[in-house]
Amino acid sequence: MSLDPSEDEAVPALYGSTVSSDRQRELLTTGAIPVAVYGLGKMGLPLAGVYAETTGTVTGVDIDPAVVESINGGTSHVVGEPGLEDLIAEQVERGRLEATTDGPAAAADARVHVIIVPTLLDDDDTPNLTTVESVIDDIAAGLSPGDLVIAESTLPPGTCRDVLEPHLVDESGLAADEFGIAFCPERTSSGTALRDIRGQYPKVVGGVDAESTRAAAVVYDELSDNEVHPVSDATTAEAVKVFEGVYRDVNIALANELGRLADELEISVREAIATANDLPMCQLHDPGPGVGGHCIPYYPHFLLSRMDEPMELTRTARQVNDEMPTVVVDRLEQELAATGIDLADASVVVLGVTYRPGVEETRASPALGVIDELTARDAAVAGVDPLVDPAEYGARAVEIDDLAAESFDAAVIVTPHQAFDRIPWADLEPMVVVDGRDAVDLSETPHRVYTLGGTARGRAPTDNGSDGPVPADDRSVSADGGNHV
């Protein structure tokens, strides 16, 4: 890519430069300040695309050669993101975006480094920073004075200050005050990534020092149409993102705990929740079969594994949500027993394997727990999903259109994909149906139906289905977790 050097510097910097912020914005948006985006997954590629359309000089870095090849061919490997395929094709054709597996080379050319790779958990639920640290090694190999490093990956609070900055200093040979580090959390959901990145929500920025915060604000003032919200430091910004996830997890756990009272109280808890939510100060979620996705099931552990404070509420909420697939199977076993069928002798079809309708992602999906629990209790398990192959997750794969030719003792609705609207329930052999989402009305069918938490009479079931942000005025959302990186 060709750069358009300014009269101020051959390759202008954002951090610590004497150039005015207005001039920096001009340089940033005319391609004079090259950007590298590390991680081209389901959120990284949309972010790279928006950076390219805004700045004009972006190199995307990914360890997968096939991903790099597809992007350089003008093709998006990420599906289910409206507008992304066209955006990538346009930016590549115009020479504003290219991809590589060579992280150090991309770092040597860039002045802004954006990290958006996943932070997963080890078997003991401790955050694993190996991937982030590997990216930091690549950046350190090409880091120059005046560079700005931006982490969008969700990180345990304190990571920029205590891990990334010391690591960059040790590996690059630069002093801490020669480059900037800011945490600017992504606030995006699968299926709306471009909309969200371009400004659906305020953009939080927080640097390890004031100059890092200022420089990051310059970048996101251009990238986002929404307001930029600077906070006191990078650790505060990291906490904002983690706290958002913990809030959702705790609220969902409350809904799930209340939902489990439906049988004992002999009421529809869903109806009670819907009515309680008439008050603006009440924002109860709907109960569901568990919490899935990249974010909500993981973020509480970013605190639980590191803090001295016991955090019993957060810990209990995680336990409640983790138990929900077992609760679903318990209810199914009870309903089957009422009809004289032993679960160990039953054939069960699980409807929906992905964690969320319309999203091709299974990480931490409640359906996986349901399948595993059914298998452990010796049921014969089949699965239906329009986006993934249930056979890869331990269930015999069945097509939607073949259900009428099958004979099942029970069905469990975990993830209500839109494609399930064409299931001919009235034509299926009578069976027990456990509806984890209050997703279908089977009152005119021969099936025995148990709805988790009861049916919300007079109200259509809601399904926000987001692992990302929930608007403050959305007081009717379902407990299905959410999406990122």
Side-chain angles (χ1 to χ4, degrees), residues 408-424:
F408 293 106
D409 297 304
V412 180
I413 302 172
V414 179
T415 309
H417 290 289
Q418 186 175 1
F420 291 164
D421 290 348
R422 70 174 191 265
I423 293 176

Side-chain angles (χ1 to χ4, degrees), residues 249 253 260 313-324:
D249 200 40
R260 291 162 66 168
L313 176 62
T314 302
R315 194 177 305 278
T316 300
R318 194 82 293 283
Q319 180 180 346
V320 168
N321 289 332
D322 280 343
E323 289 173 348
M324 287 309 297

